[in-house]
């Protein structure tokens, strides 16, 4: 049968479709309209929305199986010729013109403060006013680097600021100067984001991906998981045994270690990194996460897919949005609106107090991070935030059954029936939930000390992953403790590689980085933690400077000109 032919679509036609609310992205030179698929997407619609108007070939390839990619062929509506220049998606503040609107055919800067005249109506959530990511080079001569100016610099009312008062404006100017400084540092450190350089990086990355496949690094060795299962069984048995003997604190410690280890395989299953079959890996993940750990795999998938496509973006990446308890970027001091959670992350009195001491409270907060995961899991499952159609429609019901099972064996069977006193219950609960803390530290370690700057829509997927992620150097015998999370750079480039193959992939990635000139971030566990705490301390100092700046302006007899600070 002859393959179907598709019409060549112009950039202006694609812009018009996005302006009309269509979910359009580019995949292998074909124009994909994903509107019909979005309600069925197991990873939620937000990950798709961040790809609207972009060439999503590398993101889609990294996160989806070959079968899933082939199913996307049915959503093709056209094709493009030549290299595609990315738009800023509507969810990130991009503006698009309907076909009926006049203007040039080829608009390459569609930021909120660009010359484009019509706002996109892609969805009720996307069309809300959002703060753009403050970028750089206001007077640059290189068009591809020229981006919209920060909202706080160009207008006094913005969702990025909580007040239009003069001290607030001064504070925003201070924070925006930090943003420009951070971006300038990244531009000096990493390859240029001009089209030729980024095309070369993408080409080399795709060659690397082919080499990964040729070396069978996607093939899972199930003996590795047999060893993992033996480790899990020993930890669970030890917890049960000490519980029967009345050594409750020791039992709780082994249960916490059991949960700590389980997270790694749940992570593998969520990425289809075990069998590479969607439903098989999903069921494995649900059994581990929900039935044995009390956490929702579906919530994690929806959250984590967004994290993988907008890594370390303060407005968009839920994995670094921890206000009011913690701010990993000075930009979070601007009360940014989270496009994931759909609300403004207020930098209020509670946040100011928490950020002031965040480099001291960091590990304490991580120790109780599991409690927040319970909350997010319940919200996701009981409010029905997951897909209700498509291949994953029944996962929610299996997960709810898993939650009931977990709280029956843990909440009723252990906490209520087995432990004799309230003090024993309290101690058991605290120890079992604090012991898995290293997994939270490992997750944060990969990103908190790395760049949160926005270099614009023209930065390639591989460069952004390498710029926002670090690996941890550890001996092979400690791999079981880190569970693959020490190879987050490799994982972000190739999320579906089984974690036991990540160490073998590392050398290939290092060679790739050397060839294209992208720094490969590799630090020891202790040094990495020092960097994270140092980043938190730096943001805390910036918050203190911001407060002093605003106080000085407010106290000045002429707040418009009295820059006494």
């Amino acid at each position: 049968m002859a393959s179907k032919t598709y019409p060549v679509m112009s950039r202006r036609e694609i812009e018009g479709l996005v302006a009309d609310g269509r979910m359009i992205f580019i995949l292998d030179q074909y124009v994909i309209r994903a509107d019909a698929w979005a309600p069925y997407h197991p990873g939620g619609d937000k990950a798709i929305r961040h790809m609207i108007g972009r060439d999503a070939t590398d993101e889609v390839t990294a996160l989806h199986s070959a079968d899933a990619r082939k199913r996307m062929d049915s959503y093709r509506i056209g094709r493009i010729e030549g290299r595609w220049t990315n738009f800023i998606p509507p969810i990130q503040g991009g503006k698009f013109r309907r076909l009926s609107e006049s203007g040039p055919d080829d608009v390459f800067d569609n930021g909120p403060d660009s010359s484009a005249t019509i706002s996109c109506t892609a969805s009720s959530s996307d069309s809300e006013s959002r703060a753009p990511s403050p970028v750089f080079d206001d007077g640059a001569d290189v068009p591809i680097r020229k981006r919209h100016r920060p909202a706080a610099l160009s207008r006094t009312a913005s969702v990025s600021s909580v007040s239009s008062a003069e001290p607030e404006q001064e504070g925003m100017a201070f924070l925006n100067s930090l943003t420009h400084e951070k971006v300038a540092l990244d531009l000096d450190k990493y390859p240029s984001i001009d089209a030729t350089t980024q095309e070369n990086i993408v080409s080399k990355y795709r060659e690397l991906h082919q080499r990964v496949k040729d070396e069978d690094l996607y093939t899972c060795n199930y003996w590795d998981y047999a060893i993992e299962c033996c480790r899990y069984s020993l930890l669970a048995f030890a917890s049960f045994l000490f519980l029967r003997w009345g050594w409750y604190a020791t039992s709780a410690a082994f249960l916490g270690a059991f949960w700590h280890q389980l997270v790694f395989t749940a992570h593998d299953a969520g990425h289809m990194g075990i069998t590479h079959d969607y439903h098989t890996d999903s069921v494995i993940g649900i059994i581990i996460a929900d039935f044995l750990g009390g956490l929702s795999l579906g919530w994690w998938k929806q959250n984590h897919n967004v994290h993988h496509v907008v890594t370390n973006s303060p407005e968009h990446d839920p994995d670094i949005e921890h206000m009011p308890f913690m701010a990993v970027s000075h930009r979070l001091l601007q009360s940014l609106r989270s496009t994931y959670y759909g609300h403004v992350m207020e930098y209020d009195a509670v946040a100011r107090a928490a950020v002031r001491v965040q480099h001291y409270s960091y590990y304490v907060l991580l120790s109780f991070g599991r409690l927040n995961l319970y909350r997010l899991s319940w919200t996701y499952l009981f409010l029905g935030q997951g897909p209700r159609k498509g291949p994953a429609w029944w996962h929610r019901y299996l997960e709810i059954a898993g939650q009931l099972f977990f709280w029956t064996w843990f909440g009723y069977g252990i906490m209520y029936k087995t432990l004799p006193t309230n003090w024993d219950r309290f101690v058991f609960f605290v120890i079992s939930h604090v012991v898995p803390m290293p997994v939270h530290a490992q997750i944060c370690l990969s990103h908190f000390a790395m760049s949160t700057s926005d270099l614009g829509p023209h930065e390639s997927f591989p460069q952004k992953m390498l710029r926002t992620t670090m690996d941890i150097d550890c001996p092979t015998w400690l791999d079981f403790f880190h569970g693959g999370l020490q190879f987050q750079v490799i994982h972000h480039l190739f999320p579906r590689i089984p974690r036991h193959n990540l160490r073998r992939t590392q050398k290939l990635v290092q060679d790739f980085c050397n060839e294209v000139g992208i720094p490969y971030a590799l630090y020891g566990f202790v040094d990495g933690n020092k960097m994270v705490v140092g980043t938190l301390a730096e943001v805390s100092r910036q918050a203190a400077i911001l407060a002093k700046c605003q106080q000085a302006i407010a106290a000045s007899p002429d707040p418009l000109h009295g820059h006494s600070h």
Side-chain angles (χ1 to χ4, degrees):
M1 180 184 294
S3 59
K4 183 177 179 180
T5 58
Y6 296 90
V8 175
M9 299 184 67
S10 69
R11 182 176 181 83
R12 187 68 185 89
E13 288 177 293
I14 293 171
E15 181 187 8
L17 287 173
V18 176
D20 289 337
R22 304 303 180 194
M23 301 176 74
I24 305 292
F25 61 86
I26 309 302
L27 178 62
D28 290 328
Q29 296 296 102
Y30 287 98
V31 181
I32 305 294
R33 185 168 66 189
D35 306 61
W37 171 244
Y40 301 88
H41 187 226
D45 70 325
K46 285 190 173 65
I48 298 175
R49 292 188 182 282
H50 283 291
M51 292 295 102
I52 292 176
R54 296 175 56 94
D55 185 339
T57 301
D58 293 318
E59 288 86 346
V60 169
T61 301
L63 291 165
H64 296 80
S65 66
D67 289 341
R69 284 201 53 181
K70 188 162 185 64
R71 285 196 294 271
M72 294 181 196
D73 292 352
S74 60
Y75 299 97
R76 291 175 176 175
I77 62 170
R79 59 189 176 90
I80 62 169
E81 291 183 338
R83 190 186 73 86
W84 178 256
T85 301
N86 290 331
F87 284 114
I88 299 171
I91 195 171
Q92 297 178 16
K95 293 164 60 177
F96 294 78
R97 301 164 301 157
R98 294 188 177 91
L99 281 174
S100 59
E101 297 291 321
S102 60
D105 289 340
D106 294 323
V107 171
F108 295 99
D109 179 4
N110 72 316
D113 294 295
S114 69
S115 58
T117 58
I118 182 126
S119 61
C120 178
T121 57
S123 74
S124 58
S125 61
D126 293 347
S127 60
E128 294 174 358
S129 174
R130 286 193 181 88
S133 302
V135 212
F136 50 90
D137 288 350
D138 289 343
D141 294 326
V142 185
I144 199 165
R145 289 196 176 189
K146 187 173 182 180
R147 288 282 311 282
H148 52 277
R149 298 181 63 188
L153 293 178
S154 59
R155 58 179 182 269
T156 57
S158 167
V159 294
S160 289
S161 60
V162 294
S163 170
S164 59
E166 185 66 25
E168 292 296 332
Q169 292 178 0
E170 289 290 328
M172 294 307 104
F174 165 69
L175 294 176
N176 280 314
S177 69
L178 290 176
T179 297
H180 285 258
E181 178 184 335
K182 296 287 186 182
V183 169
L185 289 173
D186 276 2
L187 290 174
D188 288 339
K189 184 176 182 180
Y190 292 90
S192 169
I193 58 170
D194 68 83
T196 302
T197 302
Q198 294 302 307
E199 281 181 6
N200 178 62
I201 291 172
V202 168
S203 175
K204 297 297 183 182
Y205 168 69
R206 293 175 182 176
E207 291 175 10
L208 170 64
H209 190 203
Q210 185 59 50
R211 187 175 175 187
V212 165
K213 291 189 289 185
D214 292 342
E215 297 194 16
D216 288 330
L217 293 173
Y218 278 109
T219 301
C220 180
N221 183 349
Y222 294 114
W223 284 110
D224 290 325
Y225 281 103
I227 296 172
E228 299 289 344
C229 289
C230 290
R231 184 183 301 116
Y232 304 159
S233 299
L234 286 173
L235 291 171
F237 178 75
S239 178
F240 174 77
L241 190 62
F242 284 114
L243 186 66
R244 291 293 300 269
W245 289 348
W247 293 32
Y248 300 133
T250 307
S251 172
F254 275 102
L255 179 60
F258 174 66
W259 285 339
H260 173 269
Q261 289 291 298
L262 282 180
V263 166
F264 304 136
T265 300
H267 179 261
D268 300 342
H271 277 293
M272 294 187 297
I274 302 176
T275 70
H276 300 304
D277 177 77
Y278 173 70
H279 287 300
T280 303
D281 280 357
S282 292
V283 170
I284 292 172
I286 288 171
I287 290 172
I288 293 172
D290 292 87
F291 283 78
L292 300 180
L295 306 177
S296 167
L297 185 77
W299 160 78
W300 176 85
K301 281 186 179 183
Q302 191 173 83
N303 177 287
H304 204 64
N305 283 347
V306 174
H307 163 68
H308 267 270
V309 298
V310 287
T311 307
N312 262 25
S313 172
E315 304 100 321
H316 312 302
D317 182 0
D319 274 15
I320 65 167
E321 295 178 346
H322 302 294
M323 297 293 280
F325 303 108
M326 195 159 44
V328 301
S329 168
H330 67 276
R331 295 191 52 224
L332 289 164
L333 308 181
Q334 294 176 287
S335 292
L336 297 178
R337 179 181 179 83
S338 166
T339 60
Y340 182 83
Y341 292 110
H343 61 72
V344 175
M345 299 175 287
E346 297 284 359
Y347 182 56
D348 53 17
V350 174
R352 284 192 288 272
V355 169
R356 187 179 301 122
V357 297
Q358 64 180 5
H359 45 303
Y360 301 113
S361 63
Y362 172 62
Y363 291 109
V364 177
L365 291 172
L366 293 186
S367 296
F368 298 96
R370 197 173 185 89
L371 301 182
N372 186 48
L373 300 186
Y374 288 146
R375 177 186 67 85
L376 293 168
S377 296
W378 297 338
T379 301
Y380 172 84
L381 290 174
F382 296 113
L383 295 185
Q385 295 178 350
R388 300 191 180 189
K389 302 176 181 179
W393 71 267
W394 54 274
H395 290 185
R396 178 193 179 207
Y397 302 102
L398 182 59
E399 287 202 83
I400 290 175
Q403 292 290 315
L404 295 174
F405 179 84
F406 172 81
W407 289 106
T408 297
W409 73 260
F410 175 71
Y412 179 75
I414 294 180
M415 296 295 294
Y416 179 73
K417 290 289 288 183
T418 305
L419 299 175
T421 68
N422 286 335
W423 176 250
D424 288 326
R425 295 182 183 108
F426 173 77
V427 170
F428 191 95
F429 186 88
V430 169
I431 292 177
S432 64
H433 283 68
V434 169
V435 167
M437 184 273 283
V439 76
H440 302 294
Q442 289 163 320
I443 293 169
C444 297
L445 184 58
S446 305
H447 300 291
F448 275 22
M450 298 301 288
S451 173
T452 59
S453 299
D454 175 11
L455 298 191
H458 310 302
E459 183 180 28
S460 63
F461 170 74
Q463 177 165 313
K464 183 172 184 179
M465 295 304 102
L466 287 158
R467 185 173 59 83
T468 57
T469 313
M470 78 160 66
D471 273 357
I472 300 303
D473 192 18
C474 76
T476 304
W477 66 269
L478 257 183
D479 283 352
F480 82 94
F481 179 76
H482 292 281
L485 298 184
Q486 75 274 35
F487 298 118
Q488 281 291 284
V489 169
I490 294 95
H491 171 68
H492 268 255
L493 291 172
F494 307 107
R496 294 179 295 107
I497 289 182
R499 67 173 149 110
H500 302 97
N501 294 343
L502 292 174
R503 185 174 285 279
R504 290 169 54 200
T505 313
Q506 185 180 42
K507 181 62 169 61
L508 302 181
V509 171
Q510 289 174 323
D511 291 343
F512 162 75
C513 289
N514 291 335
E515 184 176 9
V516 299
I518 300 178
Y520 173 58
L522 179 66
Y523 299 94
F525 185 74
V526 173
D527 289 339
N529 274 277
K530 288 180 179 178
M531 291 176 63
V532 169
V533 173
T535 297
L536 295 174
E538 179 186 8
V539 175
S540 181
R541 289 192 296 271
Q542 291 164 348
I545 294 171
L546 172 65
K548 290 180 180 179
C549 172
Q550 293 173 334
Q551 290 170 3
I553 294 297
S556 171
D558 182 6
L560 197 60
H561 301 99
H563 296 267
S564 59
H565 62 286

